[in-house]
Amino acid sequence: MAHEDGTPGPDGKVEQLDALVIGAGPAGLMAAEELARAGREVAVVEAKPSAARKFLMAGKSGLNLTKDEPFERFVAAYGEAAEWLRPMLEEMGPQAVKRWAEGLGQELFTGSSGRVFPEVMKASPLVRAWLGRIPATLRLGWRWTGWTGEAWRFETSEGQSLLAPRVVVLVLGGASWRRLGSDGAWAAWMAEKGIEIAPFKPANMGFVVDWSDHMRPHFGAPVKAIRLIAGEKSVRGEAVVSSRGIEGGGVYAVSAAVRDGAELALDLTPDLSEGEVAARLAKKPRKQTLSRYLGKALGLDPVKRALLQEWGRPLPEGQELARLIKRLPVRHQGPRPMDEAISTAGGIPRAEVDEALMLRKLPGVFVAGEMLDWEAPTGGYLITGCLATGRWAGRHAARWTP
């Protein structure tokens, strides 16, 4: 992808373009590639000084591209949006994502949980290869600020620029991680055009906990081999105790249900039934402390024992203690701030776009990625959803003529 420095369109002068993609995240780059493949002349504008910043940040802890599992189980992870996204995921699901990454020279491996990663465990080699493959121009430091008349208005390092594209794909992200470019500011400009916006809500986030002092030694500690329960949602996973609260992959997997009102609880011994826990508790020697016995008989490590005390004291005995260990209520003060969330729910709802992801009230303007009102857990679903909607919007935008 060729970079363009400077501002081709000076203040007051409108530059004519064929196809414009606003936002250079994974959905935007996928849309740009589809437009270019169809023969459209594509310009990609990005507000930040470099492309794919959130994608690159995700890759720092291991780039989980997708989840290799039966398709129906995969689609079900998208919850209420599963029916809407199904045709897009049928075209760009787990197997297609794997082929796409391999086509960019990335060797992949699949973990025991089905999560798919590049062998190098980071995003930068993939992004470099991808940018080099897309025949489009990339204008960095261009922030979209709405419209002037019919022209699309941008603030750049050299002042204001106005663009008049024949077709546009909007991929500006949700409303979390502002420093990486997703600030949700676009919602106000969409609303000015009469487009309904579903309120933003944090997704894949941790929860605030006002810990007592005895938890301080455990800040940063992982809570392994637990089951997290939120209403009808139950997942086996891990969590992390932080100074701010409780977070981690297992928490993110149930965070939407908790955010929407379900109570969160932890099963500290997911491999034992309540009856088995009670039977082991009944064998505790009189002279042995309960804390030591919980570690020896039930395998509860120090952080699990600390959590049991934090949310369960005064601890009951017998069957009641077994029940508490199997369903320990998590007392929290609500989600962490939205800007700390990995992703967001809300945005442009299904009713505002047609089957091609074109805005009904703005013909020739297509939308993809987290701007749309869908959410999915981490574990490969988020990135696959962005790639799938980006490809779908790009392919349909390529066919658009005013």
Side-chain angles (χ1 to χ4, degrees):
M1 185 178 288
H3 288 219
E4 284 192 357
D5 297 322
T7 307
D11 289 354
K13 188 174 180 179
V14 179
E15 180 188 1
Q16 303 295 317
L17 294 176
D18 180 24
L20 175 64
V21 176
I22 305 179
L29 295 180
M30 185 62 77
E33 187 164 32
E34 291 300 320
L35 282 159
R37 183 178 287 122
R40 304 298 292 256
E41 188 175 344
V42 186
V44 180
V45 298
E46 165 61 43
K48 292 298 180 179
S50 59
R53 287 198 161 195
K54 192 172 180 181
F55 194 53
L56 289 166
M57 178 63 75
K60 284 192 174 181
S61 57
L63 183 63
N64 185 188
L65 288 170
T66 193
K67 183 82 174 285
D68 194 349
E69 63 185 354
F71 184 72
E72 290 304 321
R73 187 188 307 166
F74 185 84
V75 174
Y78 294 85
E80 294 179 359
E83 179 189 353
W84 181 21
L85 300 179
R86 174 180 288 273
M88 305 169 211
L89 294 169
E90 286 174 341
E91 286 197 6
M92 193 68 183
Q95 300 310 315
V97 169
K98 289 168 66 176
R99 290 192 297 271
W100 163 77
E102 290 167 345
L104 288 167
Q106 303 304 300
E107 294 185 12
L108 307 175
F109 75 92
T110 302
S112 58
S113 65
R115 296 184 178 191
V116 178
F117 301 85
E119 288 280 359
V120 295
M121 290 294 287
K122 54 186 179 181
S124 51
L126 184 150
V127 170
R128 283 196 300 269
W130 198 10
L131 289 172
R133 188 174 77 178
I134 301 173
T137 58
L138 177 61
R139 302 180 183 182
L140 299 172
W142 282 52
R143 180 176 176 81
W144 180 47
T145 58
W147 292 270
T148 296
E150 297 298 317
W152 295 71
R153 185 178 64 247
F154 296 85
E155 293 300 326
T156 79
S157 60
E158 298 188 12
Q160 180 177 279
S161 271
L162 302 175
L163 303 180
R166 293 185 179 87
V167 64
V168 176
V169 182
L170 280 172
V171 274
L172 292 164
S176 65
W177 292 60
R178 291 172 181 267
R179 65 189 178 89
L180 300 179
S182 299
D183 60 11
W186 54 265
W189 305 318
M190 292 286 101
E192 287 176 5
K193 298 291 186 180
I195 296 166
E196 179 187 345
I197 303 295
F200 291 116
K201 297 184 289 186
N204 292 298
M205 69 291 184
F207 291 85
V208 177
V209 178
D210 291 334
W211 301 111
S212 60
D213 287 343
H214 97 283
M215 288 299 298
R216 290 183 180 277
H218 303 285
F219 289 169
V223 189
K224 299 183 177 181
I226 57 174
R227 182 168 292 279
L228 298 99
I229 306 158
E232 297 181 358
K233 185 84 172 177
S234 172
V235 301
R236 184 159 180 159
E238 297 184 3
V240 176
V241 172
S242 78
S243 60
R244 301 175 299 180
I246 186 166
E247 51 195 271
V251 177
Y252 304 152
V254 298
S255 61
V258 179
R259 177 199 66 207
D260 293 341
E263 294 185 359
L264 177 60
L266 305 182
D267 178 353
L268 300 179
T269 58
D271 294 322
L272 299 174
S273 68
E274 183 180 317
E276 290 171 321
V277 172
R280 295 190 186 190
L281 289 173
K283 296 178 181 179
K284 185 183 86 66
R286 246 182 227 183
K287 293 184 179 181
Q288 192 168 54
T289 65
L290 177 61
S291 178
R292 184 174 179 184
Y293 188 73
L294 289 173
K296 182 178 178 180
L298 296 179
L300 299 190
D301 60 20
V303 69
K304 286 185 178 180
R305 300 200 300 270
L307 289 173
L308 185 62
Q309 290 285 349
E310 180 75 4
W311 290 321
R313 59 187 172 188
L315 294 182
E317 298 180 350
Q319 191 70 41
E320 287 300 314
L321 179 56
R323 188 170 297 119
L324 184 65
I325 290 169
K326 293 296 292 179
R327 199 180 183 98
L328 178 65
V330 175
R331 295 197 297 271
H332 62 87
Q333 286 71 51
R336 293 294 306 165
M338 186 156 58
D339 196 47
E340 296 178 12
I342 292 175
S343 59
T344 52
I348 297 174
R350 183 177 185 177
E352 291 290 346
V353 295
D354 64 14
E355 292 182 358
L357 296 183
M358 184 174 74
L359 290 167
R360 298 181 189 277
K361 294 169 185 170
L362 291 177
V365 179
F366 297 76
V367 185
E370 285 191 64
M371 287 184 73
L372 297 167
D373 184 16
W374 61 275
E375 62 179 310
T378 56
Y381 303 104
L382 278 172
I383 290 178
T384 298
C386 287
L387 294 171
T389 56
R391 171 172 281 191
W392 187 268
R395 285 186 173 180
H396 286 86
R399 303 173 194 152
W400 169 260
T401 54

